[in-house]
Amino acid sequence: MKQVYFDNAATTQMREEVVNRMAEIMKTVYGNPSSTHAYGRSAKTLIEQARKTVAKILNVAASEIIFTSGGTEADNLILNSAVRDLGVKRIITSKIEHHAVLYTLNKLHEVYDAKIEYVKLDDCGRVDLENLEELLSSSDDKTLVSLMHVNNEVGNLLDIKKVGELCRAHDALFHSDTVQSIGHYELDLSEIPVDFTAVSAHKFHGPKGVGFAYIRKNSGLQPLIFGGEQERGFRAGTESVHNIVGLEMSLKLAYEHLDEEREYISSLKRYFIDQLQKEIPGVKFNGECDDFENSTYTLINVCLPVSQEKALMLLFQLDLNGIACSKGSACQSGSDKGSHVLNAFLSEEDLKKPSLRFSFSMYNTREEVDYVVKVLKDFIEG
């Protein structure tokens, strides 16, 4: 059976160079980075070199990069400390954020009585920037805005610089989950007025279980995990040296090959859109997935003209045919609930139809697109 992996927004295949480098580190550099002997110093050197590499790519200070277990931990660290330690009373967000943000905010409301406000979205799921400015102007409470750069389900791109400028103009802090964008877009964080971001290595062909938080210096943020002085006191616990080195290498390679891989993946996405429109009348694209200017090149969210009864078998049939994709994000694909992202802006009529997320990498091919489109067509017509 043919195997097609179109779920790269959930996680990516590791680059062979990264796997080999991590294996080398696991075999040869096994000292505790907190130890003062030569073994420990060797491990510590690798961590600090990785920190410098990441900082250089994003054009920030090395001290502003804090390694974490991934994007979820980074989001939790930033949001919890902002309310607990920085005096944030109000958080402006959207209903299409990742659950790592939304569930954390629900808890902050419950525990600290933080006020959560939601910016309006248009019928494509885009953030209404005029409404955001209205919300920022409506209160003198210390405010944090949390809006993701690239939506993980429908691919909408936020004008992150414009949002940052609005936040600065109204003396608000700005946090952006950049899990789906760093490694795929060049972001100069010295030029973008963002205070905090969250990143995960396995979204750009690196290892799972490692990521980082960008925390602008002198922010006042405090630790979430206690027990040691690792990561400049921000995150206690012995560092995973091989994972951090894997993150460094995968991020470095992502940007070394960014232009060629973006061009290739963009053409693949465009081909997929064209073939779906040609072979499946009535197909729709949620969000802005057919608009390259306002949507990421890495994924597409497809609404298929299928009855509710037949829709129940769709993912099962795709899996039987060796096709991996997502009904919404992988973080909720095991749930019976519909996508909170699509529920936030789709019409009731479109919500009755099945929607699938297909996400791409440089390892995918046009032949795979043709196969997926054929399987979808046969299922719909069968």
Side-chain angles (χ1 to χ4, degrees):
M1 180 175 63
K2 191 174 181 67
Q3 298 288 324
V4 176
Y5 186 77
F6 274 175
D7 203 17
N8 290 279
T11 196
T12 54
Q13 175 184 342
M14 285 178 64
R15 296 179 191 266
E16 186 176 355
E17 306 98 307
V18 176
V19 174
N20 292 338
R21 177 63 173 151
M22 289 175 65
E24 176 192 352
I25 296 301
M26 284 189 281
K27 290 177 184 177
T28 60
V29 186
Y30 45 83
N32 188 316
S34 296
S35 299
T36 57
H37 49 59
Y39 292 90
R41 293 197 304 274
S42 295
K44 186 69 171 177
T45 297
L46 287 174
I47 291 172
E48 295 312 315
Q49 179 55 56
R51 200 185 313 278
K52 290 176 183 176
T53 299
V54 171
K56 184 177 180 181
I57 288 171
L58 299 178
N59 197 21
V60 298
S63 60
E64 296 175 308
I65 302 299
I66 305 300
F67 291 118
T68 66
S69 64
T72 294
E73 184 190 328
D75 284 331
N76 273 259
L77 164 63
I78 292 160
L79 296 171
N80 274 282
S81 183
V83 172
R84 186 190 64 192
D85 307 310
L86 303 187
V88 167
K89 302 293 184 185
R90 182 177 72 137
I91 299 172
I92 300 171
T93 188
S94 81
K95 292 186 177 181
I96 61 172
E97 299 303 302
H98 193 280
H99 279 150
V101 169
L102 294 179
Y103 288 175
T104 303
L105 296 185
N106 289 343
K107 197 66 179 177
L108 290 171
H109 172 69
E110 178 186 323
V111 175
Y112 295 101
D113 198 29
K115 186 178 182 182
I116 313 301
E117 298 183 9
Y118 299 95
V119 67
K120 290 179 182 177
L121 305 170
D122 68 11
D123 57 7
C124 285
R126 293 174 296 199
V127 170
D128 184 333
L129 294 183
E130 287 187 10
N131 180 240
L132 175 61
E133 188 164 18
E134 290 170 5
L135 290 174
L136 284 166
S137 304
S138 67
S139 173
D140 292 328
D141 287 344
K142 186 158 187 180
T143 299
L144 178 140
V145 172
S146 181
L147 294 170
M148 67 202 315
H149 184 207
V150 174
N151 185 269
N152 60 308
E153 287 196 36
V154 294
N156 288 350
L157 276 168
L158 179 76
D159 187 339
I160 191 172
K161 189 171 184 180
K162 177 64 175 176
V163 170
E165 290 169 351
L166 287 173
C167 289
R168 285 287 169 88
H170 293 275
D171 199 27
L173 294 168
F174 179 31
H175 160 251
S176 185
D177 183 319
T178 55
V179 165
Q180 293 290 342
S181 60
I182 285 185
H184 303 288
Y185 290 89
E186 291 176 324
L187 292 181
D188 184 339
L189 297 186
S190 70
E191 294 292 324
I192 299 170
V194 61
D195 298 287
F196 316 110
T197 68
V199 181
S200 196
H202 72 102
K203 304 297 186 178
F204 45 82
H205 305 287
K208 297 172 184 64
V210 66
F212 63 88
Y214 161 70
I215 300 173
R216 192 175 292 282
K217 59 187 174 184
N218 302 321
S219 68
L221 230 58
Q222 298 298 311
L224 184 65
I225 299 173
F226 299 90
E229 294 304 313
Q230 293 91 348
E231 292 304 296
R232 291 162 170 76
F234 270 107
R235 185 185 190 269
T238 302
E239 300 95 336
S240 181
V241 181
H242 63 285
N243 270 332
I244 290 171
V245 171
L247 181 155
E248 174 195 20
M249 189 169 192
S250 56
L251 190 65
K252 189 176 178 182
L253 289 171
Y255 284 106
E256 285 179 1
H257 300 287
L258 183 63
D259 290 341
E260 61 188 271
E261 291 181 359
R262 178 168 50 197
E263 182 178 353
Y264 175 74
I265 298 167
S266 295
S267 68
L268 198 67
K269 174 180 168 177
R270 171 48 63 189
Y271 180 69
F272 194 18
I273 290 169
D274 291 343
Q275 293 305 109
L276 285 170
Q277 290 175 327
K278 176 183 174 184
E279 300 294 338
I280 304 177
V283 69
K284 293 183 179 179
F285 304 103
N286 298 320
E288 297 182 77
C289 292
D290 57 349
D291 182 346
F292 278 74
E293 208 172 294
N294 296 299
S295 178
T296 183
Y297 63 95
T298 57
L299 69 88
I300 185 170
N301 195 296
V302 182
C303 181
L304 295 165
V306 177
S307 67
Q308 283 182 295
E309 294 77 18
K310 203 167 185 179
L312 295 173
M313 294 295 294
L314 181 54
L315 270 181
F316 178 66
Q317 285 297 319
L318 290 172
D319 194 35
L320 281 180
N321 284 278
I323 298 167
C325 64
S326 287
K327 179 185 177 183
S329 69
C331 305
Q332 64 180 31
S333 58
S335 170
D336 289 330
K337 296 179 182 178
S339 160
H340 72 285
V341 172
L342 299 183
N343 277 312
F345 67 89
L346 283 189
S347 68
E348 286 189 22
E349 189 61 33
D350 282 339
L351 285 171
K352 293 177 182 177
K353 300 171 187 174
S355 291
L356 298 173
R357 181 187 69 182
F358 297 91
S359 44
F360 317 103
S361 80
M362 73 277 195
Y363 296 116
N364 294 124
T365 66
R366 286 196 171 201
E367 289 73 23
E368 290 177 334
V369 168
D370 292 337
Y371 175 69
V372 171
V373 171
K374 182 181 185 306
V375 170
L376 287 172
K377 183 181 179 181
D378 290 347
F379 175 77
I380 292 170
E381 295 179 349

